[in-house]
């Protein structure tokens, strides 16, 4: 079999084979290398050239196509990011539907199908990613493609009640029946999608398989993970490096504690609400003033969409107001940094922070939550505060789970996290680490492909990860002892086992460019 991956954006690795992507892109690339493969999608370039360009890297072909300005406007900015993204995140008020955008979305999917089908071989297994490309399999089937085709949906799937507000939603949902396997992040997403297929399209389902007309589609949850070991090693390494932002942060913070937020600047991530919650925490607990700071790292994304430009302005405004109200001449409570950092620097920031504040209003999974856990020092770990509306909350129940709409609740969770005794922090960390380690990115890729290729029945393949190994033993912490000064970077996991790392410091920030 040859693997064909399709995603909205394709980033071609540079000639020096230096990785230029986050965990998901690296894992997909590895799967492509294992089977030999083709990665197809938008080059990221807007221009007149409409020919597919192919580049060979080892046994993987990267095939990219440009979008015209009109296609970018309608397919990408319009229907994908002004209609589908908000409605899938339950933000009906922000959902803007334009018929022309929808037509442009269908048009690009049709064109992708035409270009891709010309490159397909009979033994190809096709794996399509994300909401930009929902109708792609239906368009491929229309062209006579009979290969196995899977889809993975990286963002939440809303209830039928919500989705029906989107014009043509039933037509769009129906196109999912063209897939052999549809993967979702969580069990609630699976339930919502199956319900949509049944109530909006008249499908018949046993909850896991959906029959619509002559086609049968498996719908399963495959919670995405990270390369835990690789990220842990990056975090250890970052502590040893001399000129890292981490070192500068340590110098500028001194003994002060650090709360960290890391997100694309996106309204689904709850950044403004998080800043307000931190302000509330300082107002409710004046004794904490001057002793702790919030570092919010938020590189802008999709700036051409007005809601994102507005969020950019609002986050500056709220941080400025809170700093003016609560700051002192020698202490700034909130720092908002709008740039992307290397993975090593990011891992170092996570490790330095006593609290990871991950409070999206809705999120398919949220990999930052998992990265924060992976980066902790097992002997003196920080505490994860996590929104109940992140898919990750389904797995990471030992985090402090909060409702991000409740500013007071988040504020109190920050207080609880900062005051948590070390023994309790270690207990929670060990359980969280076990959870992410047992459902890492390689597990995810393999399980999905096993289910898609039929080498394992979909139900079985999507079962929960192997039971968490026994939590790392306390004694093993001497392999990764407390504090950067005390023997960081032994190359060992909390459990003490030496493992191979697949990571490198790649300087990029997003998993798949959105
Ligand atoms: P995203 O919405 O992009 O992904 P997330 O899962 O948190 O959200 O992944 C973001 C990635 O970007 C993380 O790996 C993070 O480290 C990185 N990143 C963010 N800010 C950065 C910065 N300033 N510098 C460097 N790196 C930065 C979508 C869905 C999620 C789902 C993923 C994967 O919205 O719910 O978890 O896909 O399926």
């Amino acid at each position: 079999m040859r693997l064909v991956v399709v995603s909205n954006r394709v980033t071609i690795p540079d000639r020096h084979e230096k990785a230029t992507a986050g965990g998901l892109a690296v894992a997909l690339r590895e799967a492509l290398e294992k089977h030999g493969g083709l990665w197809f999608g938008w080059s990221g370039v807007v221009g007149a050239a409409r020919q597919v360009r192919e580049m060979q890297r080892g046994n993987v072909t990267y095939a990219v196509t440009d979008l015209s300005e009109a296609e970018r406007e309608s397919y990408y900015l319009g229907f994908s990011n002004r209609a589908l993204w908000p409605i899938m995140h339950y933000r009906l008020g922000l959902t803007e539907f334009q018929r022309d955008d929808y037509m442009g979305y269908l048009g690009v999917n049709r064109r992708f199908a035409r270009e891709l089908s010309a490159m397909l071989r009979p033994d190809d297994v096709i794996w399509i990613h994300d909401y930009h490309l929902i109708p792609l399999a239906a368009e491929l089937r229309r062209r006579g493609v009979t290969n196995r085709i899977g889809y993975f949906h990286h963002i939440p799937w809303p209830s039928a009640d919500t989705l029906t507000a989107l014009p043509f939603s039933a037509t769009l949902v129906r196109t999912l029946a063209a897939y052999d396997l549809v993967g979702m992040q969580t069990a609630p997403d699976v339930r919502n999608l199956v319900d949509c297929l049944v109530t909006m399209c008249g499908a018949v389902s046993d909850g896991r398989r959906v029959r619509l007309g002559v086609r049968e589609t498996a719908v399963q949850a495959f919670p995405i993970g990270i390369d835990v070991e690789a990220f842990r090693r990056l975090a250890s390494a970052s502590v040893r490096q001399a000129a890292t932002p981490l070192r500068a942060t340590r110098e500028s913070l001194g003994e002060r504690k650090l709360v960290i937020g890391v997100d694309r600047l996106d309204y689904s991530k709850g950044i403004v609400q998080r800043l307000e919650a931190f302000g509330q925490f300082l107002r409710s607990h004046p004794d904490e003033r001057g002793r702790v700071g919030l570092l919010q790292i938020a590189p802008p994304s999709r700036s051409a969409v007005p809601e994102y430009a507005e969020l950019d302005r609002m986050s500056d405004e709220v941080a400025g107001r809170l700093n003016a109200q609560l700051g002192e001449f020698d202490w700034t409570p909130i720092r908002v940094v709008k740039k992307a950092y290397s993975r090593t620097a990011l891992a170092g920031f996570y490790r330095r922070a006593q609290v990871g504040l991950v409070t999206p209003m809705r999120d398919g999974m949220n990999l930052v939550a998992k990265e924060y856990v992976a980066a902790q020092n097992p002997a003196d770990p920080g505490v994860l505060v996590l929104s109940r509306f992140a898919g990750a909350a389904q797995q990471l129940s030992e985090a402090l789970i909060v409702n991000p709409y409740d500013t007071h609740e988040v504020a109190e969770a920050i207080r609880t996290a900062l005051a948590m005794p070390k023994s309790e922090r270690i207990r929670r960390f060990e359980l969280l680490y076990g959870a992410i380690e047992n459902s890492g990115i390689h597990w995810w890729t393999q399980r999905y492909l096993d289910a898609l290729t039929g080498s394992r029945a979909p139900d079985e393949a999507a079962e929960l990860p192997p039971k968490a190994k026994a939590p790392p033993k306390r004694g093993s912490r001497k392999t990764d002892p407390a504090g950067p000064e005390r023997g960081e970077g032994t190359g060992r996991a909390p459990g003490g086992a030496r493992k191979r790392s697949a990571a490198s410091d790649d300087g990029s920030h997003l998993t798949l460019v959105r």
Side-chain angles (χ1 to χ4, degrees):
M1 117 188 184
R2 183 178 75 152
L3 177 62
V4 175
V5 171
V6 189
S7 58
N8 169 54
R9 281 285 301 275
V10 177
T11 312
I12 302 167
D14 67 37
R15 290 217 160 268
H16 313 292
E17 289 308 309
K18 184 173 175 265
T20 53
L24 171 58
V26 170
L28 289 176
R29 212 167 274 162
E30 283 172 10
L32 284 164
E33 282 161 6
K34 184 168 157 196
H35 300 278
L38 171 69
W39 194 337
F40 175 84
W42 177 28
S43 60
V45 174
V46 177
R50 300 293 291 274
Q51 263 160 351
V52 177
R53 295 189 298 284
E54 290 186 26
M55 264 137 291
Q56 197 67 32
R57 295 281 185 275
N59 61 350
V60 181
T61 306
Y62 292 85
V64 293
T65 182
D66 300 344
L67 293 183
S68 70
E69 185 56 51
E71 285 174 332
R72 174 177 173 263
E73 181 55 43
S74 58
Y75 150 82
Y76 178 69
L77 295 173
F79 192 69
S80 294
N81 285 328
R82 281 200 289 261
L84 283 180
W85 177 271
I87 205 160
M88 297 262 171
H89 288 85
Y90 293 76
R91 299 296 288 269
L92 273 174
L94 296 179
T95 303
E96 276 175 53
F97 176 81
Q98 302 282 345
R99 271 182 189 232
D100 287 351
D101 290 347
Y102 181 53
M103 293 307 150
Y105 175 85
L106 294 178
V108 168
N109 274 274
R110 210 169 293 131
R111 177 158 78 80
F112 277 17
R114 191 179 67 237
E115 291 168 345
L116 179 61
S117 58
M119 289 181 267
L120 291 177
R121 300 177 191 159
D123 69 333
D124 283 346
V125 168
I126 306 163
W127 189 5
I128 295 169
H129 288 263
D130 234 356
Y131 58 100
H132 315 83
L133 302 173
I134 291 172
L136 186 55
E139 295 295 342
L140 287 168
R141 300 280 184 227
R142 199 164 291 158
R143 305 186 77 83
V145 173
T146 54
N147 302 52
R148 287 192 76 74
I149 312 180
Y151 170 75
F152 187 78
H153 190 73
H154 289 262
I155 64 177
W157 193 279
S159 65
D161 246 10
T162 306
L163 197 59
T164 42
L166 182 72
F168 299 102
S169 50
T171 316
L172 187 66
V173 171
R174 179 177 285 274
T175 65
L176 283 171
Y179 290 96
D180 296 294
L181 173 66
V182 172
M184 295 275 136
Q185 298 276 21
T186 66
D189 295 321
V190 168
R191 282 198 293 277
N192 281 342
L193 172 59
V194 170
D195 188 47
C196 284
L197 280 158
V198 170
T199 59
M200 294 164 71
C201 311
V204 178
S205 174
D206 64 0
R208 292 182 148 191
R209 276 162 225 273
V210 175
R211 179 171 283 282
L212 195 57
V214 292
R215 290 207 56 87
E216 190 171 279
T217 302
V219 185
Q220 301 284 339
F222 297 87
I224 196 167
I226 63 166
D227 188 337
V228 177
E229 169 61 7
F231 210 81
R232 189 194 68 74
R233 289 168 70 100
L234 283 183
S236 289
S238 78
V239 179
R240 290 194 308 272
Q241 289 177 6
T244 59
L246 173 66
R247 190 140 298 186
T249 315
R250 201 182 298 140
E251 277 156 21
S252 86
L253 281 170
E255 291 304 302
R256 285 184 182 125
K257 290 189 170 176
L258 179 64
V259 176
I260 196 165
V262 174
D263 317 77
R264 272 186 311 104
L265 195 60
D266 191 301
Y267 50 79
S268 67
K269 305 292 181 183
I271 295 166
V272 168
Q273 294 84 345
R274 185 181 312 159
L275 300 180
E276 294 285 8
F278 191 73
Q280 182 58 48
F281 155 74
L282 293 173
R283 274 192 291 270
S284 306
H285 303 285
D287 55 311
E288 297 280 10
R289 293 189 196 173
R291 296 171 55 186
V292 56
L294 169 65
L295 172 61
Q296 174 63 54
I297 300 179
S301 65
R302 304 175 195 163
S303 315
V305 177
E307 285 77 18
Y308 289 75
E310 171 64 8
L311 175 65
D312 200 352
R313 197 188 55 72
M314 272 198 39
S315 58
D316 288 352
E317 191 183 298
V318 172
R321 168 170 51 79
L322 292 170
N323 282 337
Q325 286 173 355
L326 299 161
E328 300 287 347
F329 75 94
D330 59 350
W331 169 66
T332 306
I334 297 173
R335 299 179 204 200
V336 179
V337 183
K338 292 183 177 164
K339 59 185 276 196
Y341 284 97
S342 71
R343 315 247 358 119
T344 302
L346 211 56
F349 285 131
Y350 290 139
R351 192 166 180 116
R352 168 65 180 81
Q354 281 75 17
V355 182
L357 202 47
V358 184
T359 53
M361 314 314 278
R362 273 292 159 181
D363 220 327
M365 177 54 58
N366 195 299
L367 296 179
V368 168
K370 296 185 173 185
E371 290 168 358
Y372 178 76
V373 172
Q376 294 311 297
N377 178 350
D380 192 13
V383 178
L384 177 65
V385 176
L386 180 60
S387 163
R388 58 188 291 186
F389 301 123
Q394 304 278 324
Q395 294 173 294
L396 304 183
S397 52
E398 295 302 320
L400 295 180
I401 304 291
V402 293
N403 178 351
Y405 290 89
D406 187 344
T407 307
H408 283 81
E409 187 182 316
V410 177
E412 286 318 299
I414 296 171
R415 170 72 158 188
T416 305
L418 286 169
M420 192 178 282
K422 193 196 260 191
S423 58
E424 176 63 4
R425 284 188 278 121
I426 290 174
R427 186 189 72 77
R428 287 175 183 261
F429 163 76
E430 288 176 348
L431 291 167
L432 291 172
Y433 195 94
I436 60 169
E437 196 181 30
N438 281 287
S439 56
I441 189 70
H442 299 290
W443 172 84
W444 179 82
T445 318
Q446 196 53 52
R447 288 292 156 135
Y448 188 91
L449 287 175
D450 282 353
L452 179 58
T453 56
S455 59
R456 218 186 270 232
D459 296 352
E460 189 195 330
E463 299 239 294
L464 287 174
K467 225 174 145 30
K469 291 169 207 151
K473 297 215 168 48
R474 294 285 161 87
S476 71
R477 288 197 308 278
K478 64 178 177 294
T479 61
D480 197 354
E485 306 75 18
R486 286 174 279 160
E488 285 278 1
T490 58
R492 283 169 193 265
R498 188 169 284 275
K499 292 188 179 173
R500 194 177 60 83
S501 167
S504 62
D505 182 13
D506 50 40
S508 76
H509 60 296
L510 301 179
T511 46
L512 284 180
V513 184
R514 300 193 153 76

